[in-house]
Structure formats: structure tokens, C-alpha cells
PDB file of all heavy atoms in Angstrom:
ATOM      1  N   ARG A  44      -5.164  20.486   5.088  1.00  0.00           N
ATOM      2  CA  ARG A  44      -5.055  21.917   5.384  1.00  0.00           C
ATOM      3  C   ARG A  44      -6.232  22.680   4.820  1.00  0.00           C
ATOM      4  O   ARG A  44      -6.657  23.695   5.373  1.00  0.00           O
ATOM      5  CB  ARG A  44      -3.740  22.467   4.821  1.00  0.00           C
ATOM      6  CG  ARG A  44      -2.504  22.044   5.610  1.00  0.00           C
ATOM      7  CD  ARG A  44      -1.284  22.843   5.162  1.00  0.00           C
ATOM      8  NE  ARG A  44      -0.939  22.554   3.775  1.00  0.00           N
ATOM      9  CZ  ARG A  44      -0.094  21.600   3.407  1.00  0.00           C
ATOM     10  NH1 ARG A  44       0.472  20.832   4.325  1.00  0.00           N
ATOM     11  NH2 ARG A  44       0.188  21.402   2.140  1.00  0.00           N
ATOM     12  N   ALA A  45      -6.785  22.196   3.705  1.00  0.00           N
ATOM     13  CA  ALA A  45      -7.925  22.880   3.090  1.00  0.00           C
ATOM     14  C   ALA A  45      -9.230  22.586   3.819  1.00  0.00           C
ATOM     15  O   ALA A  45     -10.263  23.167   3.490  1.00  0.00           O
ATOM     16  CB  ALA A  45      -8.043  22.462   1.628  1.00  0.00           C
ATOM     17  N   GLY A  46      -9.181  21.672   4.777  1.00  0.00           N
ATOM     18  CA  GLY A  46     -10.377  21.377   5.548  1.00  0.00           C
ATOM     19  C   GLY A  46     -11.340  20.425   4.890  1.00  0.00           C
ATOM     20  O   GLY A  46     -12.459  20.239   5.361  1.00  0.00           O
ATOM     21  N   ARG A  47     -10.936  19.800   3.784  1.00  0.00           N
ATOM     22  CA  ARG A  47     -11.854  18.895   3.103  1.00  0.00           C
ATOM     23  C   ARG A  47     -11.788  17.499   3.723  1.00  0.00           C
ATOM     24  O   ARG A  47     -10.819  17.138   4.385  1.00  0.00           O
ATOM     25  CB  ARG A  47     -11.550  18.828   1.614  1.00  0.00           C
ATOM     26  CG  ARG A  47     -10.256  18.115   1.253  1.00  0.00           C
ATOM     27  CD  ARG A  47     -10.090  18.032  -0.265  1.00  0.00           C
ATOM     28  NE  ARG A  47      -8.848  17.395  -0.654  1.00  0.00           N
ATOM     29  CZ  ARG A  47      -8.666  16.080  -0.716  1.00  0.00           C
ATOM     30  NH1 ARG A  47      -9.651  15.268  -0.370  1.00  0.00           N
ATOM     31  NH2 ARG A  47      -7.519  15.570  -1.093  1.00  0.00           N
ATOM     32  N   LEU A  48     -12.807  16.702   3.462  1.00  0.00           N
ATOM     33  CA  LEU A  48     -12.839  15.338   3.957  1.00  0.00           C
ATOM     34  C   LEU A  48     -11.933  14.444   3.118  1.00  0.00           C
ATOM     35  O   LEU A  48     -11.831  14.609   1.909  1.00  0.00           O
ATOM     36  CB  LEU A  48     -14.267  14.788   3.911  1.00  0.00           C
ATOM     37  CG  LEU A  48     -15.286  15.471   4.819  1.00  0.00           C
ATOM     38  CD1 LEU A  48     -16.671  14.885   4.573  1.00  0.00           C
ATOM     39  CD2 LEU A  48     -14.898  15.317   6.280  1.00  0.00           C
ATOM     40  N   LEU A  49     -11.295  13.494   3.790  1.00  0.00           N
ATOM     41  CA  LEU A  49     -10.527  12.484   3.076  1.00  0.00           C
ATOM     42  C   LEU A  49     -11.485  11.465   2.471  1.00  0.00           C
ATOM     43  O   LEU A  49     -12.514  11.143   3.055  1.00  0.00           O
ATOM     44  CB  LEU A  49      -9.564  11.782   4.027  1.00  0.00           C
ATOM     45  CG  LEU A  49      -8.473  12.661   4.643  1.00  0.00           C
ATOM     46  CD1 LEU A  49      -7.709  11.882   5.697  1.00  0.00           C
ATOM     47  CD2 LEU A  49      -7.529  13.184   3.580  1.00  0.00           C
ATOM     48  N   THR A  50     -11.150  10.965   1.294  1.00  0.00           N
ATOM     49  CA  THR A  50     -12.016  10.015   0.603  1.00  0.00           C
ATOM     50  C   THR A  50     -11.194   8.818   0.127  1.00  0.00           C
ATOM     51  O   THR A  50      -9.978   8.757   0.321  1.00  0.00           O
ATOM     52  CB  THR A  50     -12.688  10.663  -0.627  1.00  0.00           C
ATOM     53  OG1 THR A  50     -11.704  10.813  -1.662  1.00  0.00           O
ATOM     54  CG2 THR A  50     -13.290  12.016  -0.276  1.00  0.00           C
ATOM     55  N   GLY A  51     -11.867   7.895  -0.552  1.00  0.00           N
ATOM     56  CA  GLY A  51     -11.191   6.746  -1.118  1.00  0.00           C
ATOM     57  C   GLY A  51     -10.219   7.087  -2.221  1.00  0.00           C
ATOM     58  O   GLY A  51      -9.432   6.238  -2.641  1.00  0.00           O
ATOM     59  N   ALA A  52     -10.263   8.306  -2.727  1.00  0.00           N
ATOM     60  CA  ALA A  52      -9.280   8.731  -3.721  1.00  0.00           C
ATOM     61  C   ALA A  52      -7.956   9.120  -3.068  1.00  0.00           C
ATOM     62  O   ALA A  52      -6.935   9.213  -3.738  1.00  0.00           O
ATOM     63  CB  ALA A  52      -9.818   9.920  -4.519  1.00  0.00           C
ATOM     64  N   ASP A  53      -7.976   9.364  -1.755  1.00  0.00           N
ATOM     65  CA  ASP A  53      -6.776   9.762  -1.036  1.00  0.00           C
ATOM     66  C   ASP A  53      -6.065   8.582  -0.388  1.00  0.00           C
ATOM     67  O   ASP A  53      -4.842   8.535  -0.323  1.00  0.00           O
ATOM     68  CB  ASP A  53      -7.133  10.756   0.075  1.00  0.00           C
ATOM     69  CG  ASP A  53      -7.784  12.016  -0.454  1.00  0.00           C
ATOM     70  OD1 ASP A  53      -7.061  12.806  -1.089  1.00  0.00           O
ATOM     71  OD2 ASP A  53      -8.997  12.207  -0.236  1.00  0.00           O
ATOM     72  N   LEU A  54      -6.851   7.652   0.130  1.00  0.00           N
ATOM     73  CA  LEU A  54      -6.310   6.579   0.954  1.00  0.00           C
ATOM     74  C   LEU A  54      -6.903   5.239   0.545  1.00  0.00           C
ATOM     75  O   LEU A  54      -8.040   5.166   0.091  1.00  0.00           O
ATOM     76  CB  LEU A  54      -6.633   6.815   2.437  1.00  0.00           C
ATOM     77  CG  LEU A  54      -6.263   8.173   3.037  1.00  0.00           C
ATOM     78  CD1 LEU A  54      -6.854   8.298   4.432  1.00  0.00           C
ATOM     79  CD2 LEU A  54      -4.763   8.338   3.071  1.00  0.00           C
ATOM     80  N   ASP A  55      -6.100   4.200   0.752  1.00  0.00           N
ATOM     81  CA  ASP A  55      -6.599   2.836   0.579  1.00  0.00           C
ATOM     82  C   ASP A  55      -6.292   2.091   1.884  1.00  0.00           C
ATOM     83  O   ASP A  55      -5.290   1.385   1.984  1.00  0.00           O
ATOM     84  CB  ASP A  55      -5.920   2.164  -0.612  1.00  0.00           C
ATOM     85  CG  ASP A  55      -6.470   0.762  -0.880  1.00  0.00           C
ATOM     86  OD1 ASP A  55      -7.469   0.393  -0.231  1.00  0.00           O
ATOM     87  OD2 ASP A  55      -5.894   0.054  -1.705  1.00  0.00           O
ATOM     88  N   PRO A  56      -7.139   2.272   2.895  1.00  0.00           N
ATOM     89  CA  PRO A  56      -6.859   1.658   4.205  1.00  0.00           C
ATOM     90  C   PRO A  56      -7.062   0.152   4.160  1.00  0.00           C
ATOM     91  O   PRO A  56      -8.108  -0.330   3.745  1.00  0.00           O
ATOM     92  CB  PRO A  56      -7.865   2.335   5.138  1.00  0.00           C
ATOM     93  CG  PRO A  56      -8.986   2.757   4.245  1.00  0.00           C
ATOM     94  CD  PRO A  56      -8.367   3.072   2.917  1.00  0.00           C
ATOM     95  N   GLU A  57      -6.046  -0.595   4.591  1.00  0.00           N
ATOM     96  CA  GLU A  57      -6.100  -2.049   4.531  1.00  0.00           C
ATOM     97  C   GLU A  57      -5.960  -2.706   5.899  1.00  0.00           C
ATOM     98  O   GLU A  57      -6.223  -3.899   6.031  1.00  0.00           O
ATOM     99  CB  GLU A  57      -4.991  -2.574   3.607  1.00  0.00           C
ATOM    100  CG  GLU A  57      -5.184  -2.236   2.140  1.00  0.00           C
ATOM    101  CD  GLU A  57      -6.292  -3.050   1.491  1.00  0.00           C
ATOM    102  OE1 GLU A  57      -6.748  -4.039   2.096  1.00  0.00           O
ATOM    103  OE2 GLU A  57      -6.707  -2.691   0.370  1.00  0.00           O
ATOM    104  N   SER A  58      -5.521  -1.970   6.902  1.00  0.00           N
ATOM    105  CA  SER A  58      -5.311  -2.566   8.216  1.00  0.00           C
ATOM    106  C   SER A  58      -5.407  -1.463   9.265  1.00  0.00           C
ATOM    107  O   SER A  58      -5.088  -0.302   8.990  1.00  0.00           O
ATOM    108  CB  SER A  58      -3.935  -3.239   8.286  1.00  0.00           C
ATOM    109  OG  SER A  58      -2.918  -2.363   7.815  1.00  0.00           O
ATOM    110  N   PHE A  59      -5.880  -1.819  10.444  1.00  0.00           N
ATOM    111  CA  PHE A  59      -5.953  -0.808  11.496  1.00  0.00           C
ATOM    112  C   PHE A  59      -5.879  -1.471  12.865  1.00  0.00           C
ATOM    113  O   PHE A  59      -6.234  -2.640  13.034  1.00  0.00           O
ATOM    114  CB  PHE A  59      -7.215   0.045  11.379  1.00  0.00           C
ATOM    115  CG  PHE A  59      -8.493  -0.668  11.723  1.00  0.00           C
ATOM    116  CD1 PHE A  59      -9.047  -0.577  12.997  1.00  0.00           C
ATOM    117  CD2 PHE A  59      -9.157  -1.432  10.777  1.00  0.00           C
ATOM    118  CE1 PHE A  59     -10.219  -1.233  13.314  1.00  0.00           C
ATOM    119  CE2 PHE A  59     -10.338  -2.094  11.082  1.00  0.00           C
ATOM    120  CZ  PHE A  59     -10.871  -1.989  12.356  1.00  0.00           C
ATOM    121  N   ARG A  60      -5.410  -0.691  13.846  1.00  0.00           N
ATOM    122  CA  ARG A  60      -5.335  -1.145  15.238  1.00  0.00           C
ATOM    123  C   ARG A  60      -5.774  -0.019  16.156  1.00  0.00           C
ATOM    124  O   ARG A  60      -5.440   1.151  15.943  1.00  0.00           O
ATOM    125  CB  ARG A  60      -3.915  -1.583  15.607  1.00  0.00           C
ATOM    126  CG  ARG A  60      -3.414  -2.783  14.827  1.00  0.00           C
ATOM    127  CD  ARG A  60      -4.181  -4.051  15.138  1.00  0.00           C
ATOM    128  NE  ARG A  60      -3.837  -5.123  14.214  1.00  0.00           N
ATOM    129  CZ  ARG A  60      -4.427  -6.308  14.208  1.00  0.00           C
ATOM    130  NH1 ARG A  60      -5.382  -6.577  15.089  1.00  0.00           N
ATOM    131  NH2 ARG A  60      -4.071  -7.228  13.339  1.00  0.00           N
ATOM    132  N   ARG A  61      -6.514  -0.398  17.176  1.00  0.00           N
ATOM    133  CA  ARG A  61      -6.981   0.561  18.180  1.00  0.00           C
ATOM    134  C   ARG A  61      -6.033   0.562  19.362  1.00  0.00           C
ATOM    135  O   ARG A  61      -5.740  -0.484  19.933  1.00  0.00           O
ATOM    136  CB  ARG A  61      -8.394   0.200  18.633  1.00  0.00           C
ATOM    137  CG  ARG A  61      -9.021   1.177  19.612  1.00  0.00           C
ATOM    138  CD  ARG A  61     -10.441   0.749  19.936  1.00  0.00           C
ATOM    139  NE  ARG A  61     -11.130   1.687  20.797  1.00  0.00           N
ATOM    140  CZ  ARG A  61     -11.117   1.637  22.125  1.00  0.00           C
ATOM    141  NH1 ARG A  61     -10.459   0.667  22.733  1.00  0.00           N
ATOM    142  NH2 ARG A  61     -11.766   2.528  22.843  1.00  0.00           N
ATOM    143  N   LEU A  62      -5.554   1.751  19.745  1.00  0.00           N
ATOM    144  CA  LEU A  62      -4.642   1.892  20.868  1.00  0.00           C
ATOM    145  C   LEU A  62      -5.411   2.047  22.175  1.00  0.00           C
ATOM    146  O   LEU A  62      -6.610   2.340  22.173  1.00  0.00           O
ATOM    147  CB  LEU A  62      -3.717   3.090  20.661  1.00  0.00           C
ATOM    148  CG  LEU A  62      -2.375   2.756  19.980  1.00  0.00           C
ATOM    149  CD1 LEU A  62      -2.586   2.196  18.589  1.00  0.00           C
ATOM    150  CD2 LEU A  62      -1.449   3.952  19.973  1.00  0.00           C
ATOM    151  N   PRO A  63      -4.739   1.853  23.317  1.00  0.00           N
ATOM    152  CA  PRO A  63      -5.424   1.984  24.611  1.00  0.00           C
ATOM    153  C   PRO A  63      -6.095   3.333  24.828  1.00  0.00           C
ATOM    154  O   PRO A  63      -7.077   3.431  25.570  1.00  0.00           O
ATOM    155  CB  PRO A  63      -4.290   1.758  25.622  1.00  0.00           C
ATOM    156  CG  PRO A  63      -3.330   0.862  24.905  1.00  0.00           C
ATOM    157  CD  PRO A  63      -3.355   1.336  23.482  1.00  0.00           C
ATOM    158  N   ASP A  64      -5.607   4.401  24.167  1.00  0.00           N
ATOM    159  CA  ASP A  64      -6.225   5.723  24.347  1.00  0.00           C
ATOM    160  C   ASP A  64      -7.461   5.916  23.479  1.00  0.00           C
ATOM    161  O   ASP A  64      -8.074   6.981  23.497  1.00  0.00           O
ATOM    162  CB  ASP A  64      -5.208   6.826  24.075  1.00  0.00           C
ATOM    163  CG  ASP A  64      -4.724   6.865  22.619  1.00  0.00           C
ATOM    164  OD1 ASP A  64      -5.222   6.076  21.786  1.00  0.00           O
ATOM    165  OD2 ASP A  64      -3.834   7.694  22.319  1.00  0.00           O
ATOM    166  N   GLY A  65      -7.841   4.884  22.721  1.00  0.00           N
ATOM    167  CA  GLY A  65      -9.030   4.969  21.883  1.00  0.00           C
ATOM    168  C   GLY A  65      -8.773   5.444  20.471  1.00  0.00           C
ATOM    169  O   GLY A  65      -9.680   5.393  19.634  1.00  0.00           O
ATOM    170  N   SER A  66      -7.571   5.904  20.178  1.00  0.00           N
ATOM    171  CA  SER A  66      -7.255   6.336  18.819  1.00  0.00           C
ATOM    172  C   SER A  66      -6.911   5.127  17.957  1.00  0.00           C
ATOM    173  O   SER A  66      -6.692   4.017  18.454  1.00  0.00           O
ATOM    174  CB  SER A  66      -6.097   7.338  18.825  1.00  0.00           C
ATOM    175  OG  SER A  66      -4.895   6.719  19.261  1.00  0.00           O
ATOM    176  N   PHE A  67      -6.851   5.362  16.647  1.00  0.00           N
ATOM    177  CA  PHE A  67      -6.597   4.281  15.688  1.00  0.00           C
ATOM    178  C   PHE A  67      -5.379   4.613  14.829  1.00  0.00           C
ATOM    179  O   PHE A  67      -5.207   5.748  14.396  1.00  0.00           O
ATOM    180  CB  PHE A  67      -7.799   4.089  14.756  1.00  0.00           C
ATOM    181  CG  PHE A  67      -9.011   3.525  15.427  1.00  0.00           C
ATOM    182  CD1 PHE A  67      -9.941   4.364  16.029  1.00  0.00           C
ATOM    183  CD2 PHE A  67      -9.233   2.156  15.465  1.00  0.00           C
ATOM    184  CE1 PHE A  67     -11.070   3.845  16.648  1.00  0.00           C
ATOM    185  CE2 PHE A  67     -10.358   1.630  16.084  1.00  0.00           C
ATOM    186  CZ  PHE A  67     -11.277   2.484  16.667  1.00  0.00           C
ATOM    187  N   TRP A  68      -4.572   3.598  14.573  1.00  0.00           N
ATOM    188  CA  TRP A  68      -3.532   3.682  13.555  1.00  0.00           C
ATOM    189  C   TRP A  68      -3.961   2.829  12.376  1.00  0.00           C
ATOM    190  O   TRP A  68      -4.421   1.693  12.543  1.00  0.00           O
ATOM    191  CB  TRP A  68      -2.190   3.212  14.092  1.00  0.00           C
ATOM    192  CG  TRP A  68      -1.527   4.248  14.948  1.00  0.00           C
ATOM    193  CD1 TRP A  68      -1.661   4.420  16.294  1.00  0.00           C
ATOM    194  CD2 TRP A  68      -0.640   5.274  14.505  1.00  0.00           C
ATOM    195  NE1 TRP A  68      -0.919   5.486  16.725  1.00  0.00           N
ATOM    196  CE2 TRP A  68      -0.269   6.029  15.648  1.00  0.00           C
ATOM    197  CE3 TRP A  68      -0.108   5.624  13.264  1.00  0.00           C
ATOM    198  CZ2 TRP A  68       0.593   7.117  15.578  1.00  0.00           C
ATOM    199  CZ3 TRP A  68       0.762   6.705  13.186  1.00  0.00           C
ATOM    200  CH2 TRP A  68       1.113   7.440  14.331  1.00  0.00           C
ATOM    201  N   VAL A  69      -3.822   3.383  11.177  1.00  0.00           N
ATOM    202  CA  VAL A  69      -4.286   2.734   9.959  1.00  0.00           C
ATOM    203  C   VAL A  69      -3.123   2.566   9.001  1.00  0.00           C
ATOM    204  O   VAL A  69      -2.309   3.486   8.814  1.00  0.00           O
ATOM    205  CB  VAL A  69      -5.408   3.564   9.295  1.00  0.00           C
ATOM    206  CG1 VAL A  69      -5.784   2.986   7.930  1.00  0.00           C
ATOM    207  CG2 VAL A  69      -6.629   3.632  10.205  1.00  0.00           C
ATOM    208  N   GLY A  70      -3.039   1.390   8.388  1.00  0.00           N
ATOM    209  CA  GLY A  70      -2.047   1.137   7.346  1.00  0.00           C
ATOM    210  C   GLY A  70      -2.673   1.337   5.981  1.00  0.00           C
ATOM    211  O   GLY A  70      -3.717   0.763   5.680  1.00  0.00           O
ATOM    212  N   ASP A  71      -2.034   2.145   5.144  1.00  0.00           N
ATOM    213  CA  ASP A  71      -2.571   2.531   3.833  1.00  0.00           C
ATOM    214  C   ASP A  71      -1.694   1.963   2.719  1.00  0.00           C
ATOM    215  O   ASP A  71      -0.498   1.729   2.909  1.00  0.00           O
ATOM    216  CB  ASP A  71      -2.604   4.063   3.749  1.00  0.00           C
ATOM    217  CG  ASP A  71      -2.529   4.581   2.329  1.00  0.00           C
ATOM    218  OD1 ASP A  71      -3.569   4.625   1.661  1.00  0.00           O
ATOM    219  OD2 ASP A  71      -1.408   4.912   1.888  1.00  0.00           O
ATOM    220  N   GLU A  72      -2.291   1.782   1.533  1.00  0.00           N
ATOM    221  CA  GLU A  72      -1.546   1.262   0.392  1.00  0.00           C
ATOM    222  C   GLU A  72      -1.148   2.329  -0.615  1.00  0.00           C
ATOM    223  O   GLU A  72      -0.246   2.104  -1.417  1.00  0.00           O
ATOM    224  CB  GLU A  72      -2.374   0.180  -0.320  1.00  0.00           C
ATOM    225  CG  GLU A  72      -2.464  -1.102   0.475  1.00  0.00           C
ATOM    226  CD  GLU A  72      -2.844  -2.294  -0.378  1.00  0.00           C
ATOM    227  OE1 GLU A  72      -3.710  -2.155  -1.262  1.00  0.00           O
ATOM    228  OE2 GLU A  72      -2.261  -3.362  -0.155  1.00  0.00           O
ATOM    229  N   PHE A  73      -1.795   3.490  -0.628  1.00  0.00           N
ATOM    230  CA  PHE A  73      -1.501   4.488  -1.645  1.00  0.00           C
ATOM    231  C   PHE A  73      -0.161   5.175  -1.426  1.00  0.00           C
ATOM    232  O   PHE A  73       0.466   5.611  -2.391  1.00  0.00           O
ATOM    233  CB  PHE A  73      -2.607   5.538  -1.700  1.00  0.00           C
ATOM    234  CG  PHE A  73      -3.821   5.115  -2.480  1.00  0.00           C
ATOM    235  CD1 PHE A  73      -4.949   5.925  -2.532  1.00  0.00           C
ATOM    236  CD2 PHE A  73      -3.852   3.918  -3.166  1.00  0.00           C
ATOM    237  CE1 PHE A  73      -6.080   5.540  -3.245  1.00  0.00           C
ATOM    238  CE2 PHE A  73      -4.973   3.522  -3.887  1.00  0.00           C
ATOM    239  CZ  PHE A  73      -6.094   4.342  -3.923  1.00  0.00           C
ATOM    240  N   GLY A  74       0.283   5.317  -0.182  1.00  0.00           N
ATOM    241  CA  GLY A  74       1.565   5.961   0.087  1.00  0.00           C
ATOM    242  C   GLY A  74       2.762   5.060  -0.222  1.00  0.00           C
ATOM    243  O   GLY A  74       3.534   5.351  -1.119  1.00  0.00           O
TER     244      GLY A  74
END
């Protein structure tokens, strides 16, 4: 909401998949 960039302090992405529409779903470990 503050408009800042997400960084490695926010997320620990470990897995991802690309959908047919070109978007990506990412699995994170921090949540």
C-alpha cells in the first residue's frame, strides 16, 4: 500500500509456476 518495492526481507520465494495467461504464482517460506 505504501508503494515500496518488495525485497528479500519480505519474502523468501522458493517455488514458482507460470500460468497460461503469463502471470506467475510463487510459493513463499516467510508466511
Side-chain angles (χ1 to χ4, degrees):
R44 286 191 295 269
R47 70 177 178 82
L48 295 175
L49 296 173
T50 74
D53 300 289
L54 308 171
D55 183 8
E57 292 287 347
S58 49
F59 71 96
R60 296 294 170 185
R61 184 177 184 270
L62 267 62
D64 65 4
S66 66
F67 291 88
W68 282 89
V69 173
D71 154 83
E72 288 200 320
F73 279 175

